[in-house]
Amino acid sequence: MPVRNGELFIEKAIKSVQQQDHTNFTLLIADNASTDGTQDIVERLAREDSRVRYFRHSRNIGPLDNFRYVLEHSQGEYFCWLAADDVWSDNWLSENLD
């Protein structure tokens, strides 16, 4: 999940991923030097759930490079994009893995 200044929506987006019925995933969040409360929200949620990995850029590297960071640092057999304002149904992952 690439993000910049997503505090209004990001907690709901992250929680929708955490509530998936398919639980074997890692959510990588790359914060593009947000200037709002994004960092505090994501750090709290990452402390509570080891499946949430958080990285914060020290300066704004632009959206393209932040998306590239997420893609290049992702691990696992499958990959999908998630925006900071997306909300998934509880079976989104399992339905797409079948």
Side-chain angles (χ1 to χ4, degrees):
M1 175 191 293
V3 63
R4 176 160 170 84
N5 294 338
E7 80 174 332
L8 295 179
F9 307 104
I10 196 163
E11 185 165 359
K12 189 171 183 179
I14 293 169
K15 287 185 174 187
S16 78
V17 175
Q18 291 174 310
Q19 296 170 357
Q20 293 297 299
D21 59 4
H22 179 87
T23 60
N24 185 18
F25 65 83
T26 300
L27 173 58
L28 172 61
I29 301 169
D31 182 349
N32 195 11
S34 291
T35 58
D36 64 0
T38 298
Q39 181 176 7
D40 293 335
I41 294 166
V42 178
E43 284 179 341
R44 175 176 47 83
L45 294 173
R47 279 192 306 272
E48 297 169 358
D49 188 339
S50 63
R51 300 172 300 176
V52 178
R53 292 179 32 220
Y54 178 62
F55 178 82
R56 178 179 166 78
H57 298 287
S58 60
R59 63 177 178 79
N60 184 342
I61 62 171
L64 181 60
D65 284 340
N66 199 35
F67 272 79
R68 185 177 294 123
Y69 180 91
V70 170
L71 183 61
E72 291 174 353
H73 289 85
S74 294
Q75 301 170 347
E77 186 176 357
Y78 300 104
F79 175 87
C80 65
W81 292 109
L82 173 68
D85 61 354
D86 285 352
V87 176
W88 287 353
S89 63
D90 292 347
N91 65 343
W92 193 92
L93 282 174
S94 62
E95 286 292 316
N96 284 283
L97 287 171
D98 286 341

